[in-house]
Amino acid sequence: MKEFGYERAHDVSGALALLGADPDARFLGGGTNLVDLMKTGVERPANLVDVRELPLGRIESTDDGGLRIGATVTNSELAAHPEVRLRYPALAQAVLAGASGQLRNMATVGGNLLQRTRCGYFADVTQPCNKRVPGSGCPAIGGEHHNHAILGASGHCAAVHPSDMGVALAAFDAVVGYETADGPGELPLEEFYLPVGDTPHRETALPPGALITGVRLPPTPAAVNSRYRKVRERASYAFAIGSVAAALDVRDGTVHDVRLAFGAVASRPWRARTAERALTGASADAESFAAALDAELAAARPLPHNTYKVPLLRNLVVAVLTELAEEAAR
């Protein structure tokens, strides 16, 4: 590991000043992803600015009935919070599915949003990777790609985003708050992550030097009846090969509101807008669910060794929506 400096910030302005003084510095939250990447040489910051002691560790109700989650809230705190469990259960489930208890105790909400892909080519500095070294190529497209993207990929990158938490936040229209030296700003999560296009190294729309300060969840009545389901290759804290955050509001057998986001199938949490539009006003039954998923997955462009993800995701989402519909009818 390259030698690096370390400084601890105690307020937001101080953290921004420390990062602004050194273009090669990085913010450090729990370090559960960044430190691993430093060990492999993927990340080589000259200095780390520890932000764990910033006053951003609260979960609070907003005036409109939503929630505001501070960036230094740990994943364990987020999953255990009674208002999260009551009003956005899929979010609590996603966090619990994402990592072991030890990692959840360290990982922060802000850091979770910025975690990097687990593509093996990205993690191996002896291999080319457009995400790590722009213009060097994407060997995954012609190589090992069984857990790579089927939606929204390009000829420049087929890696998938690893976050479970981000999938649930995408389903609930989360808004990411940040601070820069020029003042505060916000980005809807759908705009926070950039399409992969021909610049896969540009992963977010955060301004340079920005510090994530928190996440705002708007009031979402449908979220009370929500679920996160994750499929993985082994029954431990492995990364998903497919996942869904789903919320369903059924009235008199008809879908009044539905929220769907997929994980492990694209470079960012994939909001299934086509399926949502198809389901709104439709009968809340397996036939409608399957037709909506077929419409969404018509855009899928799997690679030779990950075609299995299309039926896997279709069957997974239909099963979860069917469960939610049955629970709503009780």
Side-chain angles (χ1 to χ4, degrees):
M1 183 185 291
K2 173 187 172 183
E3 186 174 320
F4 60 91
Y6 171 88
E7 297 187 75
R8 181 173 293 170
H10 300 282
D11 55 56
V12 171
S13 60
L16 291 170
L18 287 170
L19 196 77
D22 184 354
D24 292 325
R26 292 287 304 275
F27 290 128
L28 174 71
T32 56
N33 183 211
L34 176 59
V35 173
D36 283 346
L37 293 176
M38 290 170 64
K39 290 177 180 178
T40 60
V42 173
E43 295 277 6
R44 297 174 62 82
N47 288 286
L48 295 179
V49 179
D50 191 333
V51 297
R52 285 293 292 266
E53 292 191 3
L54 299 186
L56 302 172
R58 295 171 61 87
I59 300 175
E60 303 171 302
S61 294
T62 57
D63 292 340
D64 62 0
L67 284 180
R68 182 175 292 105
I69 303 163
T72 62
V73 170
T74 68
N75 285 8
S76 290
E77 292 166 340
L78 179 63
H81 196 277
E83 290 300 310
V84 175
R85 294 164 63 93
L86 176 66
R87 293 153 60 183
Y88 304 89
L91 176 56
Q93 295 163 11
V95 173
L96 290 172
S100 67
Q102 294 94 327
L103 288 173
R104 292 197 305 270
N105 289 341
M106 289 296 296
T108 62
V109 167
N112 191 302
L113 290 172
L114 294 175
Q115 64 180 302
R116 311 293 300 277
T117 183
R118 268 42 177 208
C119 173
Y121 297 105
F122 171 76
D124 183 353
V125 295
T126 69
Q127 297 283 340
C129 172
N130 284 327
K131 189 177 285 290
R132 180 167 31 80
V133 183
S136 62
C138 178
I141 292 174
E144 170 52 51
H145 54 243
H146 85 283
N147 194 23
H148 283 60
I150 60 172
L151 290 164
S154 76
H156 299 275
C157 182
V160 297
H161 194 269
S163 176
D164 294 282
M165 182 191 79
V167 179
L169 292 177
F172 299 143
D173 297 315
V175 178
V176 179
Y178 63 86
E179 190 87 27
T180 70
D182 296 324
E186 285 190 331
L187 282 167
L189 196 73
E190 280 196 276
E191 298 175 17
F192 179 81
Y193 294 114
L194 296 172
V196 63
D198 59 0
T199 55
H201 60 288
R202 295 186 63 239
E203 296 177 354
T204 78
L206 276 176
L211 171 69
I212 293 176
T213 53
V215 175
R216 179 170 53 83
L217 285 172
T220 309
V224 174
N225 187 38
S226 66
R227 182 160 299 154
Y228 182 76
R229 183 72 55 79
K230 174 179 180 178
V231 178
R232 41 196 156 187
E233 293 179 325
R234 51 192 168 92
S236 65
Y237 293 103
F239 292 97
I241 56 175
S243 67
V244 59
L248 192 64
D249 181 1
V250 177
R251 303 182 187 181
D252 298 323
T254 299
V255 176
H256 177 74
D257 189 16
V258 59
R259 308 296 177 92
L260 290 171
F262 305 152
V265 293
S267 63
R268 51 183 174 167
W270 185 268
R271 183 68 182 270
R273 295 288 189 184
T274 299
E276 290 177 353
R277 287 192 293 269
L279 282 173
T280 303
S283 297
D285 55 40
E287 184 177 352
S288 295
F289 300 151
L293 265 295
D294 287 340
E296 184 70 44
L297 293 172
R301 298 293 182 268
L303 294 164
H305 304 302
N306 67 359
T307 56
Y308 74 93
K309 284 195 174 189
V310 177
L312 181 151
L313 190 64
R314 180 186 188 272
N315 295 338
L316 171 67
V317 181
V318 170
V320 170
L321 287 172
T322 300
E323 291 173 10
L324 291 173
E326 291 173 350
E327 291 174 9
R330 291 173 188 163

